[in-house]
Amino acid sequence: MLKDKDYSNIIDELGGGRLLAKNLSKFTNIVLNEKTVYSWKQQGIPDRWKPSIIKLLLKAGGTIPQGFIPPGMSVNNFQDNSSLNTELLEKYDNFNENDISNKTLESFYEKMLYLRRFEERVGQLYGLGLIGGFCHLYIGQEAVSVGMEAAINKDDNVITGYRCHAHLLSRGASPYKLLCELMGKGDGISKGKGGSMHMFDPKNNFWGGHGIVGAQVPIGTGLAFASKYLNKPSLSLTYFGDGAANQGQVYESYNMASLWKLPIIFCIENNQYGMGTSIKRASAGTDLSKHGESFGIPGFAVNGMNPISVYLAAQKAVKWVREGNGPIILEMKTYRYRGHSMSDPAKYRTREEVQKMREEQDPIEFMKKKLVDKKIYSSKKLQSIDDKIRSEISNLAEKAINSNPSNEDDLYTDVLCEDYDE
Amino acid sequence: MSKFPVRSAIRDAMAEEMRSNPNVFLIGEEVGEYEGAYKVSQGLISEFGNQRIVDTPITEAGFTGLAVGASMGGLRPIVEFMTWNFAFQAIDQIINSAAKTYYMSGGLVNIPIVFRGPNGSALQVAAQHSHDLSALFTNIPGLKVVAPYDSADAKGLLKSAIRDPNPVIFLENELLYNEVFEVPEIDYSIPIGSANIKKSGSDITITSFSRGVHAALKAAELLEKENISAEVIDLRTLRPLDTNTIIKSVKKTNRLVSVEEGWMSSGIGAEIISEVTSKAFDYLDAPPERIAALNVPLPYASNLEKLCIPDQDNIFKLCRRLF
Ligand SMILES: Cc1ncc(C[n+]2csc(CCOP(=O)(O)OP(=O)(O)O)c2C)c(N)n1
Ligand SMILES: [Mg+2]
């Protein structure tokens, strides 16, 4: 049996009646007055307040007297896994910019530039009417794809939504095949049957290319499930947007991923808009990296306009996941310069806002400056790399334009694995 | 009569019903400040404010369930799906909650609600954005399914749908939004469940709905040149299906071709032909035929996509074969 003294001690350990009343009110959203709390010293702490008080005691490192924990429960029931994991995660914070080789820095520049020039070309081809349907460009977000890719292995699995061209290229997909796919050509990576939003490259462990917002998240969780089931060391890098982060299946995935400790990085590309809706108008809690807390999934926000920050964060996340700690959430704060898709009146944001991001935070400009400052590259060299990339993409585009349209014989292939007898 | 595109006919139907009933509201993604991904709700937020034109996060299952609850709570929601493809996320709430509650409650709880948005193929948006859900919904007791073609029908039927005490699936078509048709200037509505003879004829009956009506009418013109007089029926409502109008027509023409942009198997054509063979078997001079999308997920490449959706030539050829 607990004595008055025990109750008194607990209340004192938690800073006295006044502070405890305040903290409990904050904790539970039920307003308590300090007199009530003081009265518990004599009358005992009512059962309904015990769970909250145990949590506060655990947080404060206080002692929990025997008999205070409700029957059938243990301290573990009251551990706040999220803060526990967040603290654990700090131990993984040992990646440093100084350890990044010059070669890696060079590759950040070249790879991001390649993605930029590729997407610019795609935009032009769309303008010429050579690409149809929906087409979402990645321009502005390059640091995310390049930084993340640098930290994972070829065996790891990657999946994303419809804004997928860059992630495919980062995985090593053939740019020629992508251009062909975009123009509905027989040489396309999906034979012209998928288009901009639906491209897959299993050889490079890239699993789409999904048109339905949020649908890739449970699928990415399933890729992680398979890795664990098959005892493979691969993890799943699952990308989705700030808008997608509101889909219910995202939270269902968080729960399963944490419950079964699946090797997955949930990488949210928060470009601040889902179509014309800003994150503030769509999410009650705009700290997307914290959305996994109640599932015990740690997460943190990253400057997604800086490939070095992305790379360091990615290394930390990869280590966390590879060591069997289960899922992690990375929220990449990034920005798309172009419209949501090729038809976007863009009335939901100002020209100045876009201009400011381009001028002050552009990831490619940042890397250029870095390389020149560190005397790794001269500006002449930077330019020659750009020229080389431009001409390579031009040639591929030309070749793709001149290739054959999708083959009509392919209309009935690929519906079922066996012959499809229509 | 004045001329309006289908897009504004739909908007006007919503606006008029919202003016006359304060409990009618519109909810969906980008319906408010963005004024609709396809600009169907243009101007509504400035007239009705954001209490009644509700922008949602991208959470189809959530806001559809919420709307069903709001309907139980006394409101009359119009739920816009940016396109019907995304309603697959919400299909459980539509079928298990909206469609079945009235029955399961023994008639105690009805769900007046309209689910609307563009359905079927657009241009080169590939399989996940081109699904025609017409036939799927006609399989469900407890739902009414409407798929208008022109502006007047879109407006009149949407008004009926909003006033209807049941859940109504209202299937629009992106490629029709810009098409301009006459709309009566009077206050009117069109009852759910009645087909409309778009063109009368004596030799063959062609049934279709939504954008398929356009191709059917064009095919009828081609047939006319060969001295075949086709009667074109715009079904307008797919459930309940106006079989009387169809059967009456077949009894006159003795031939039937059903046209739809969805897939053939277990489709609208299957339903129509089954009704006709059982109720007008002796009147048929040729086996009834149907034409539908080819049996594949819709491909992206424009040349492949064009092969998939029935056009006037396909319909014309099929009709001619029946003589
Ligand atoms: C289930 C579903 N609902 C709606 C859409 C239409 N849609 C396509 S992209 C998009 C916005 C998504 O925004 P976000 O997740 O932030 O990704 P971003 O486009 O910014 O990369 C919407 C609403 C869709 N494709 N799927
Ligand atoms: Mg976004």
Side-chain angles (χ1 to χ4, degrees), chain A residues 242-243 269 271-274:
Chain A
D242 48 292
E269 296 195 74
N271 59 13
Q272 303 174 46
Y273 296 90

Side-chain angles (χ1 to χ4, degrees), chain A residues 141 162-163 240-244 269-275 277 336 340, chain B residues 58:
Chain A
Q141 303 181 204
Y162 42 84
R163 202 179 295 285
F240 53 103
D242 48 292
E269 296 195 74
N270 177 3
N271 59 13
Q272 303 174 46
Y273 296 90
M275 274 184 90
T277 304
R336 69 167 154 73
H340 165 72
Chain B
I58 310 168

